Amino acid sequence: MVTVLILLGAVLLIGALVGMLIQKQKERNARQAPPPPPSPKDPFASEGDTTGDPRTIKAGDMIDWGTERTWIRGTLRLAEGGYTWSEHFLEVDGGKRWLTVEEDPDVQLSLWTGRPDVELTPHSKTLEFEGVTYKLDERGTAAYRSEGTTGLKAEGGCDYADYESADGRMLSFERFDHGGWEASTGTKILPGSFTIYPGS
């Protein structure tokens, strides 16, 4: 009888030890260190579609055109009624260039160059400039909000008049906060014509 009790006690003791070992192993597995963070990736690596969404461009982003890289110095967010669009000012040596992004309803992109040498104003429905005839496409007044470096107030108003030629060339006029008209020439560009590298 004593032998049976000793054997029974030994079996119970071994069972308890095995149970404790299993429990400790479970706790160890639960406390395992989290996986290491992913290693940094090269933002310039050609991996999948890196062109980015032009609707998300903001001041501080870098734009790579394939032959040149430039930074977005500032952005204007414009609104007229329920319609909104953005103008992103590019860092260039001398002169003024910007990228317009709008949805109407698809994303439409235009690249503009300031033309301070032009003395024209949007005074008629048709304008002749450098041998090209431009017809008035639309005109209006919008409210703007300025981000980054734009040379404008934080908020204000903008009058605009957009002209287009038969072959798709564009001539635009803007007047900020009741100032003088500023002329620019532009061309339409396709999404994917550049790669966006978001700034910090």
Side-chain angles (χ1 to χ4, degrees):
M1 180 73 174
V2 174
T3 308
V4 171
L5 288 174
I6 292 173
L7 285 174
L8 184 60
V11 168
L12 289 174
L13 183 62
I14 291 170
L17 287 173
V18 168
M20 286 174 51
L21 288 173
I22 290 171
Q23 183 62 30
K24 284 196 181 263
Q25 185 62 39
K26 284 182 181 178
E27 289 174 6
R28 225 179 272 134
N29 289 344
R31 283 193 313 242
Q32 268 187 340
S39 58
K41 292 189 177 181
D42 178 1
F44 301 102
S46 57
E47 174 182 311
D49 178 17
T50 60
T51 56
D53 185 347
R55 295 169 297 183
T56 64
I57 295 173
K58 64 189 180 313
D61 290 352
M62 188 180 77
I63 304 293
D64 186 339
W65 301 95
T67 56
E68 68 171 309
R69 289 182 181 150
T70 187
W71 298 91
I72 302 297
R73 295 292 310 277
T75 294
L76 289 181
R77 307 288 181 188
L78 298 112
E80 182 181 17
Y83 185 67
T84 62
W85 69 99
S86 301
E87 294 182 2
H88 304 287
F89 295 90
L90 308 176
E91 180 177 52
V92 292
D93 291 330
K96 187 175 169 184
R97 286 176 64 207
W98 65 94
L99 175 70
T100 299
V101 180
E102 53 188 309
E103 288 183 88
D104 192 21
D106 298 324
V107 174
Q108 297 178 8
L109 307 173
S110 305
L111 186 61
W112 298 90
T113 301
R115 296 295 303 267
D117 55 313
V118 175
E119 296 181 7
L120 285 174
T121 59
H123 59 276
S124 67
K125 292 185 177 181
T126 304
L127 293 175
E128 295 286 329
F129 176 63
E130 295 182 341
V132 178
T133 301
Y134 293 87
K135 291 186 178 177
L136 182 65
D137 184 43
E138 62 180 328
R139 70 184 315 145
T141 300
Y144 73 79
R145 184 171 41 86
S146 179
E147 302 169 0
T149 303
T150 63
L152 297 170
K153 300 186 305 184
E155 294 181 346
C158 170
D159 299 313
Y160 67 90
D162 295 333
Y163 291 76
E164 190 167 339
S165 69
D167 63 0
R169 285 183 273 185
M170 298 181 294
L171 176 65
S172 182
F173 298 87
E174 290 179 317
R175 179 170 61 186
F176 295 98
D177 304 313
H178 308 293
W181 286 106
E182 300 175 18
S184 57
T185 53
T187 56
K188 295 175 183 175
I189 59 175
L190 295 172
S193 301
F194 52 84
T195 302
I196 304 163
Y197 296 105
S200 55

